[in-house]
Amino acid sequence: MIYNYLYVIQYITTHSKKGDIQKATMENKKHFDKIRKGFGALSFAYDRTIALGGLAEESTIRKESIESLNLRKGDTVFDICCGTGLNFKLLEKNIGNDGRIVGLDLTPELLNIAASRCDKMDWNNITLVSANLLEFNTDVLADCAVSTASIGMIPEYSQAIDRVMKYLKPEGRFVIVDGKTSAQFPNRAFNHLYYLAAKSAGFDFINRDLVGYIQSKYEIVFYKEYLGGFCYAIAFKRK
């Protein structure tokens, strides 16, 4: 094997005498377990499915979101919830052989496909980690981070964002690609159907103001909407 493939703890194991904390922990475990099982079962069709949603390997959304990071040769990048590694090709073009990618995902089946992609492309500078983002710990400080179609699945999205930022260098940028309802006419007429479809896949962005949270705490350096306003990319750094 030419890649590094690591497995670490997947689930929160908080123990407390307080019933509310224990209940929240169990609910979180069930939520992430549902996501892991769902994506694991559909891993064989993941790339085709996500391409139909406008997020193919070299889609405009991926290209422009990664361009917003202003990556340089030799940079280290965290690919949060990397799935099958659809961001890897564009990241490799920017950071080169001297750079490093750490791909983090909850679903082993998707990481297996990502590992095969690394083998096929002869990428030996990628480390794959199977972990729940909220439990992820590392000694590495990255230059930038990217997360495509994933943060909207995490109920504790603010904690997830802050955790990623904790492991970035002072000027490090984080770009998130995620879904939302559209404010554009006539697309907004389809908001309810879009929300139901997204929620069935694990997203619940109606009740999650990611952009508002980011704007309140960090400096936004890039924002653009795509797919008729149903998708957006937002890049930010520390103020």
Side-chain angles (χ1 to χ4, degrees):
M1 296 295 184
I2 61 170
Y3 54 85
N4 297 308
Y5 197 14
L6 307 179
Y7 284 92
V8 295
I9 189 168
Q10 290 186 334
Y11 297 118
I12 299 172
T13 56
T14 303
H15 296 282
S16 172
K17 294 181 180 179
K18 296 183 179 180
D20 56 341
I21 294 179
Q22 290 179 331
K23 182 179 179 181
T25 299
M26 290 302 298
E27 289 177 351
N28 287 343
K29 183 183 183 302
K30 289 179 181 178
H31 175 80
F32 287 113
D33 197 38
K34 180 181 178 181
I35 291 175
R36 181 186 61 78
K37 289 180 179 178
F39 278 100
L42 295 174
S43 59
F44 70 97
Y46 178 87
D47 286 9
R48 294 191 296 275
T49 301
I50 204 163
L52 289 174
L55 290 171
E57 186 174 31
E58 295 193 76
S59 62
T60 298
I61 302 174
R62 289 186 190 272
K63 287 180 179 178
E64 293 186 351
S65 61
I66 289 175
E67 286 174 0
S68 73
L69 294 175
N70 291 339
L71 293 170
R72 298 170 296 181
K73 299 297 182 182
D75 277 354
T76 294
V77 184
F78 288 144
D79 191 343
I80 305 300
C81 305
C82 66
T84 62
L86 290 173
N87 283 327
F88 292 171
K89 185 175 182 179
L90 293 171
L91 291 173
E92 288 282 350
K93 285 182 179 179
N94 284 273
I95 65 174
N97 294 331
D98 292 331
R100 180 183 179 189
I101 298 170
V102 178
L104 175 75
D105 202 275
L106 184 67
T107 307
E109 292 88 346
L110 296 182
L111 287 176
N112 286 334
I113 298 174
S116 296
R117 192 186 301 274
C118 292
D119 273 344
K120 181 179 179 180
M121 299 302 297
D122 199 28
W123 292 325
N124 58 8
N125 59 344
I126 298 178
T127 300
L128 300 177
V129 182
S130 178
N132 181 333
L133 174 59
L134 298 179
E135 285 287 287
F136 177 58
N137 289 292
T138 180
D139 293 329
V140 177
L141 282 183
D143 296 282
C144 293
V146 57
S147 180
T148 305
S150 57
I151 297 296
M153 289 188 176
I154 302 175
E156 303 87 349
Y157 64 87
S158 59
Q159 294 178 35
I161 291 170
D162 291 346
R163 194 170 192 86
V164 174
M165 294 300 291
K166 172 184 175 181
Y167 294 117
L168 295 187
K169 295 177 182 179
E171 293 299 315
R173 293 186 176 193
F174 183 15
V175 63
I176 294 173
V177 175
D178 224 314
K180 70 177 190 63
T181 52
S182 178
Q184 299 179 22
F185 180 83
N187 299 331
R188 61 192 183 197
F190 300 98
N191 278 343
H192 185 63
L193 290 176
Y194 177 60
Y195 171 62
L196 291 177
K199 190 172 182 179
S200 68
F203 292 90
D204 191 16
F205 46 74
I206 288 289
N207 300 316
R208 298 173 191 169
D209 187 10
L210 270 73
V211 175
Y213 178 74
I214 292 168
Q215 190 172 29
S216 70
K217 191 168 183 178
Y218 300 103
E219 179 183 343
I220 297 174
V221 296
F222 175 82
Y223 180 85
K224 186 175 179 179
E225 296 186 359
Y226 302 87
L227 305 178
F230 289 114
C231 182
Y232 67 94
I234 182 169
F236 52 98
K237 63 180 183 178
R238 295 182 182 90
K239 290 183 177 179

